[in-house]
Amino acid sequence: MASSTPVPDFHVQQITEACNRLATLPRDVSLPDHAATIVRIRPYFMPEGWTIRQHEHSYYEGNIILEGSATTVGDPGRRLEPGNVFFHGPGVPHAWSTPDASCLRLIVCFTVSPLARPNPEMETAYCPELLYDVAQLVDVACVAAPGWRGLASARVAGIVARMLTLCELERPEGDSGGHREDFVRGVDEFLTDNYRHPIQLEDVARHMGVSMSGLIHQYRESAATTVGRRLLAIRMDRAAALLTDTGYTLTEIGDLAGIGDAAYLCRCFKRYFNMTPSEYRVSRQG
């Protein structure tokens, strides 16, 4: 299915550089009720007239068409254009061809547990939003600004979660309490790793592979608090430790704790500890 909406520009060299950096990220991806492990993420350019013979894998493979077009070989064959996803599971034979145009696609290979059963009627889908997810992922990895690893992991989790919507996922039986603990632990670990940087709920949701509403509901239900309050608690605890153990100024502590300027730090700290940062420092160091 084609779209008249402009799509991001993609370049093989830039995507290759981004994928090389993504290979250094943790391979495990936390998703609700499931755990995924990334096998590889890489671009693949097929020139016009190219054919890839039928083959299969021991893992799940999702192909996002970025530029050009390709045709799946089979009955029926499907023409895929930018924004189309072709997804198949382990042991599923598949083949590609580019009879009349070249094609650039991003391949995302992973395993998932418990197993997901790909739905043959949904192995192809039109997901134009994934083009922008890929563009943002490539940009984050290529720029590699402080905190990029957490943001990139969140983007990867969101892409995998979207691909798994083409599957019939099996929910694990029993162990609902264990899942809740794992979910809270996953959110808390992401917040702890990235508290120094601006964090949006969208970033956390992508990292966990859930929707914004799913993140808000599941975390509040499982942790008896909100993601925002948990993030503030982490930042306040860090600010308190810096006040106790260092002679940093309030501006420096605000930067290190992800709070912002000194005035905002003071307001948050006073509400959290019922005393100002200066009063806290005196009480601890005195």
Side-chain angles (χ1 to χ4, degrees):
M1 176 179 178
S3 172
S4 59
T5 303
V7 299
D9 292 327
F10 295 99
H11 304 282
V12 176
Q13 183 175 357
Q14 184 183 34
I15 299 177
T16 301
E17 176 187 350
C19 289
N20 288 338
R21 288 183 174 169
L22 294 175
T24 67
L25 296 177
R27 296 175 61 195
D28 294 334
V29 177
S30 296
L31 303 170
D33 299 321
H34 293 80
T37 299
I38 302 299
V39 176
R40 72 176 62 89
I41 301 176
R42 68 184 181 97
Y44 196 107
F45 178 77
M46 298 172 60
E48 182 179 348
W50 193 267
T51 297
I52 297 179
R53 295 182 179 181
Q54 190 174 79
H55 61 289
E56 59 187 64
H57 305 293
S58 60
Y59 44 76
Y60 297 84
E61 181 183 88
N63 298 269
I64 306 170
I65 307 300
L66 303 180
E67 291 183 346
S69 64
T71 301
T72 63
V73 178
D75 184 20
R78 296 179 173 87
R79 183 178 178 86
L80 306 177
E81 298 184 350
N84 280 128
V85 176
F86 181 47
F87 181 83
H88 45 80
V92 177
H94 56 282
W96 292 81
S97 69
T98 50
D100 53 13
S102 61
C103 177
L104 174 62
R105 56 191 169 104
L106 184 71
I107 304 174
V108 182
C109 304
F110 58 93
T111 61
V112 62
S113 178
L115 293 177
R117 299 188 302 271
N119 184 343
E121 297 181 358
M122 295 179 62
E123 67 178 2
T124 63
Y126 182 57
C127 308
E129 65 275 10
L130 281 178
L131 295 175
Y132 298 94
D133 289 340
V134 171
Q136 292 171 343
L137 175 62
V138 169
D139 183 64
V140 167
C142 286
V143 174
W148 77 271
R149 298 173 67 85
L151 294 176
S153 294
R155 299 291 183 191
V156 171
I159 290 172
V160 170
R162 183 66 183 89
M163 288 181 174
L164 285 176
T165 62
L166 304 180
C167 290
E168 298 174 359
L169 297 179
E170 297 179 349
R171 182 178 296 273
E173 298 179 0
D175 195 30
S176 59
H179 163 62
R180 288 195 296 268
E181 292 176 1
D182 290 342
F183 184 82
V184 171
R185 187 182 303 113
V187 172
D188 288 352
E189 287 177 352
F190 179 79
L191 297 179
T192 301
D193 290 342
N194 297 278
Y195 68 87
R196 287 187 57 185
H197 311 290
I199 299 177
Q200 304 295 328
L201 281 177
E202 178 186 3
D203 299 322
V204 186
R206 285 182 180 275
H207 175 72
M208 298 302 297
V210 298
S211 65
M212 291 271 286
S213 60
L215 169 70
I216 293 170
H217 173 75
Q218 290 187 57
Y219 192 82
R220 180 185 294 137
E221 184 179 78
S222 302
T225 188
T226 66
V227 176
R229 288 172 183 166
R230 176 57 180 154
L231 177 59
L232 178 62
I234 292 171
R235 287 170 167 168
M236 290 295 98
D237 288 343
R238 180 56 179 158
L242 290 169
L243 286 167
T244 301
D245 300 332
T246 75
Y248 292 156
T249 66
L250 293 184
T251 298
E252 291 171 325
I253 290 174
D255 290 338
L256 292 172
I259 299 298
D261 60 24
Y264 183 60
L265 169 63
C266 289
R267 290 197 299 272
C268 292
F269 200 92
K270 180 67 180 294
R271 287 198 300 268
Y272 194 81
F273 286 102
N274 201 30
M275 65 176 71
T276 67
S278 297
E279 292 170 341
Y280 185 90
R281 171 172 272 169
V282 169
S283 69
R284 301 294 291 181
Q285 294 184 343

